[in-house]
Amino acid sequence: MSVNKLISKNFKVIGKLPQLQNFRCCSGISLKQRNELFTAEQKRQRENVGRIEKIEVRYLGLPEDVTLVMNRELSTPYNCAQHLSEGHCKRSVLALVDGNVPWDMHRPLQASCTLQLLHFTVSDPHVVNRTFWRSCSFMLGAALQNAFKENARLQLHSFPGPNIRTGSFIHDIVLGTRVWQPTKTELRALSAEMIKLAAQDLKFERLEVNQELALEMFKDCRYKKEQLPSISQQNRGRIILYRMGTHIDISRGPMISFSRFVGKCTVAAIHKLAEEGDCDALYRVQGVALPSGFVLNHNPARLPNEPFEESHVQMA
């Protein structure tokens, strides 16, 4: 069975929750408005760069070290990779600026610097692995948003920072039911949605905004509105947002460059954490994944692109 057929068949099951008032964290209208605000602010910031200043970016890596002349506040590590080779573009997940600053591949460079392009098989993969798990949590939010019907009253809550030792990624959500016990079919449907997002090869875009704009973008999201003042205070009045496709959420990042770097993936469990309000509940959704191109020690036969369910996986 294809991924698309699995999704169309099983997402109807997820929607079978109690018929509650018509509310969700991202209705079609609010999602459209949020993306319009994101795009408009992104354009405004680019136009405010003003006179283009040149910077020197010293690339350190294979096939040889080289100095690139790029545009300050406009050129990104991905643009640098484009000057190097197609292979650099295809395999670079994250950048390292001046030897110790993890940097999104699509985030403009702010000054002359040294640049390293990281992938999943670097000798010290700790930073790349943390970025991968964080990005999986972000993608899981998008998958959940796509999966639930409006009568489920889904609200995205947050996704805690990655803890590589747990071997999984998580996203916390609030639903309009306290008795949901997800079936294996529902978990497989969510896994299929993750694979669908990965197959779309979506770019992760970073945008830094002020608190006022962030509150406007998330005005219909209760938990995001509650979290924004504290985040703003900790970050000198700024909020860091990411967008993948049409999904926008708050995160300090960094993220992987494209969704295609998520390979095999399974939403393995969903746990009820607490009751919220009169009839809602907080749930923690937990998944495991491998970067694309990685293989499992044990991989029983299955259909192409079918979500995997092994409990023993290895990452670099």
Side-chain angles (χ1 to χ4, degrees):
M1 183 181 294
S2 70
V3 169
N4 285 336
K5 287 182 179 178
L6 181 66
I7 291 171
S8 61
K9 177 181 178 182
N10 292 331
F11 277 7
K12 296 177 181 178
V13 178
I14 291 178
K16 290 180 180 178
L17 292 171
Q19 296 291 325
L20 301 167
Q21 59 179 328
N22 207 25
F23 177 87
R24 86 189 272 188
C25 179
C26 281
S27 66
I29 296 175
S30 64
L31 188 63
K32 182 174 182 290
Q33 292 174 341
R34 188 172 306 152
N35 274 273
E36 288 174 349
L37 289 170
F38 188 102
T39 300
E41 176 63 13
Q42 191 178 59
K43 180 181 178 182
R44 186 193 69 80
Q45 291 185 17
R46 286 172 180 167
E47 291 175 347
N48 281 353
V49 170
R51 184 173 65 88
I52 296 177
E53 298 180 17
K54 297 298 182 179
I55 57 174
E56 290 189 353
V57 179
R58 182 65 176 170
Y59 166 72
L60 306 176
L62 296 174
E64 61 181 1
D65 297 352
V66 63
T67 298
L68 303 172
V69 178
M70 308 300 288
N71 297 323
R72 186 180 71 85
E73 298 287 1
L74 292 174
S75 298
T76 67
Y78 187 78
N79 295 141
C80 295
Q82 290 175 314
H83 284 283
L84 296 170
S85 74
E86 183 179 356
H88 286 84
C89 295
K90 286 184 175 179
R91 71 195 299 244
S92 298
V93 179
L94 182 70
L96 197 64
V97 169
D98 289 335
N100 60 3
V101 182
W103 202 270
D104 296 276
M105 287 294 295
H106 302 292
R107 179 184 176 186
L109 296 164
Q110 299 172 347
S112 295
C113 61
T114 63
L115 179 71
Q116 296 166 263
L117 300 177
L118 306 182
H119 47 82
F120 289 114
T121 56
V122 293
S123 57
D124 182 4
H126 179 75
V127 173
V128 177
N129 282 351
R130 285 182 60 85
T131 301
F132 177 75
W133 290 120
R134 181 185 300 109
S135 304
C136 287
S137 291
F138 183 94
M139 284 180 62
L140 181 54
L144 291 160
Q145 217 169 242
N146 293 341
F148 282 91
K149 294 184 178 180
E150 292 202 6
N151 60 14
R153 289 184 61 201
L154 169 73
Q155 299 178 69
L156 298 183
H157 188 282
S158 59
F159 52 99
N163 183 349
I164 296 175
R165 289 177 298 178
T166 67
S168 64
F169 58 90
I170 57 179
H171 204 116
D172 294 342
I173 61 173
V174 173
L175 289 176
T177 177
R178 295 178 172 180
V179 296
W180 185 41
Q181 295 181 338
T183 65
K184 184 176 180 180
T185 299
E186 291 171 333
L187 294 176
R188 286 174 59 82
L190 287 171
S191 304
E193 179 63 22
M194 287 285 289
I195 292 174
K196 180 181 177 183
L197 290 170
Q200 291 176 38
D201 195 14
L202 300 170
K203 180 168 71 172
F204 281 79
E205 303 173 85
R206 181 187 187 276
L207 186 66
E208 195 170 314
V209 304
N210 59 36
Q211 180 180 329
E212 182 181 3
L213 179 57
L215 285 170
E216 175 65 21
M217 294 175 73
F218 293 98
K219 61 184 179 182
D220 59 346
C221 296
R222 170 190 165 187
Y223 297 100
K224 304 297 179 184
K225 286 194 301 181
E226 292 176 353
Q227 295 160 9
L228 282 170
S230 174
I231 295 172
S232 175
Q233 186 177 22
Q234 296 171 22
N235 199 32
R236 298 191 296 267
R238 307 298 289 175
I239 307 292
I240 299 172
L241 306 177
Y242 281 86
R243 177 167 69 177
M244 183 201 67
T246 60
H247 178 62
I248 299 172
D249 207 343
I250 308 161
S251 175
R252 63 183 178 182
M255 299 283 181
I256 59 176
S257 51
F258 294 96
S259 64
R260 69 168 182 264
F261 287 110
V262 176
K264 288 182 174 294
C265 178
T266 286
V267 177
I270 300 177
H271 310 281
K272 179 181 173 181
L273 299 181
E275 295 183 349
E276 288 278 323
D278 296 331
C279 56
D280 299 345
L282 177 67
Y283 294 87
R284 172 156 292 178
V285 186
Q286 187 174 15
V288 294
L290 285 176
S292 55
F294 277 55
V295 295
L296 299 169
N297 287 338
H298 174 59
N299 187 16
R302 57 174 46 77
L303 296 173
N305 292 327
E306 183 179 357
F308 76 105
E309 296 178 356
E310 286 80 9
S311 57
H312 302 289
V313 300
Q314 290 186 341
M315 251 187 93

